[in-house]
Amino acid sequence: MMISSTKNEKIKFALSLKTDAKARTQNGLCFAEGLRLCAEAIASNRAKTLFFTREFAQKHPDFTSDGERIEIGDNVAKTLSDVQNPQGVFCLCDVGGLKRPVSQLSGGKILALEHLADPGNLGTILRTAEAFGVGGVVLSSDCADVFSPKVLRAGMGCSFRLPIYESDDFPSALRVLSEKGIAVYGAMLCATAISVKNLRVCENIALVIGNEANGITPQTAEVVIPVVIPMKGRAESLNAASAASILLWELFGK
């Protein structure tokens, strides 16, 4: 099968998954582009449909998938792609069951993110979390879509591998974790914040990172133990991804 028209229904469906979070949620699928992400989807048994150009197939004759395989024209690849020179491979990925209820979390190394709106920041933080052995990531429902193309690209496909938990009531979810004996720390600039250098590291910890511009909400601040990164110079704060990297290293990376 070869698709040469951008008006083909399968291509229109793929584009809807690429651009519309609602379509991804309703269909339990996401859209991935490029050799690395498609390989990650295949390795995670998540690839359902693989689109590829003839040139890609010639360059990578051993690249295969158990799912549906569809050859596409170069014009279709350019329509599907976000880059000027596409690699010529895309896939639709099954994400069913990858988001779990917070009630299933019982302990371990947990990262909790509140209203992380920037997809690049979210993907970068998820990639760092995986590198430091985080066992679960809790997202408030107003975070960027963890299966959007930008998050997948920045996270190098770790959305397929990291246990993801989503909550419509983020402060209540954190209270549940605290009631289970999990120490819930939140990155905050306040007088009562504990320096990360003096933090008591224990087996069951949740680290909360807030919105890029506004930080943790007042409702969440009531639940967490404030923690701060001591800084020199005139900088008042770090961006969310930088702060998350430092705190994750201090808590989980050693």
Side-chain angles (χ1 to χ4, degrees), residues 70-192:
I70 300 175
E71 184 180 341
I72 57 175
D74 292 340
N75 62 318
V76 177
K78 289 180 180 179
T79 297
L80 289 175
S81 180
D82 274 335
V83 299
Q84 187 172 0
N85 297 305
Q87 291 180 308
V89 63
F90 315 83
C91 66
L92 307 188
C93 314
D94 177 12
V95 296
L98 288 180
K99 287 184 180 179
R100 314 165 193 194
V102 178
S103 58
Q104 292 184 3
L105 268 172
S106 58
K109 301 175 180 179
I110 300 166
L111 176 65
L113 304 174
E114 183 176 38
H115 190 32
L116 260 290
D118 184 270
N121 272 346
L122 179 55
T124 298
I125 292 172
L126 292 177
R127 185 179 177 186
T128 304
E130 184 181 41
F132 291 150
V134 167
V137 179
V138 180
L139 303 175
S140 65
S141 57
D142 52 5
C143 281
D145 180 11
V146 72
F147 299 119
S148 72
K150 288 183 179 179
V151 173
L152 289 174
R153 185 162 55 249
M156 302 296 282
C158 64
S159 296
F160 297 133
R161 302 182 298 270
L162 272 174
I164 301 293
Y165 303 81
E166 191 173 72
S167 175
D168 292 328
D169 189 342
F170 193 72
S172 293
L174 297 181
R175 287 191 184 93
V176 170
L177 297 182
S178 183
E179 289 167 359
K180 291 182 176 182
I182 299 169
V184 182
Y185 293 107
M188 292 177 61
L189 290 172
C190 67
T192 59

Side-chain angles (χ1 to χ4, degrees), residues 128 131-132 196 201 207 243-254:
T128 304
F132 291 150
V196 67
V201 178
L207 170 64
S245 296
I246 293 168
L247 290 167
L248 285 168
W249 166 252
E250 290 291 341
L251 290 174
F252 307 142
K254 296 180 178 179

Side-chain angles (χ1 to χ4, degrees), residues 170 174 184-188 206-208 216-217 219-227:
F170 193 72
L174 297 181
V184 182
Y185 293 107
M188 292 177 61
L207 170 64
V208 183
I216 289 171
T217 63
Q219 295 80 7
T220 293
E222 295 178 359
V223 183
V224 304
I225 302 167
V227 61

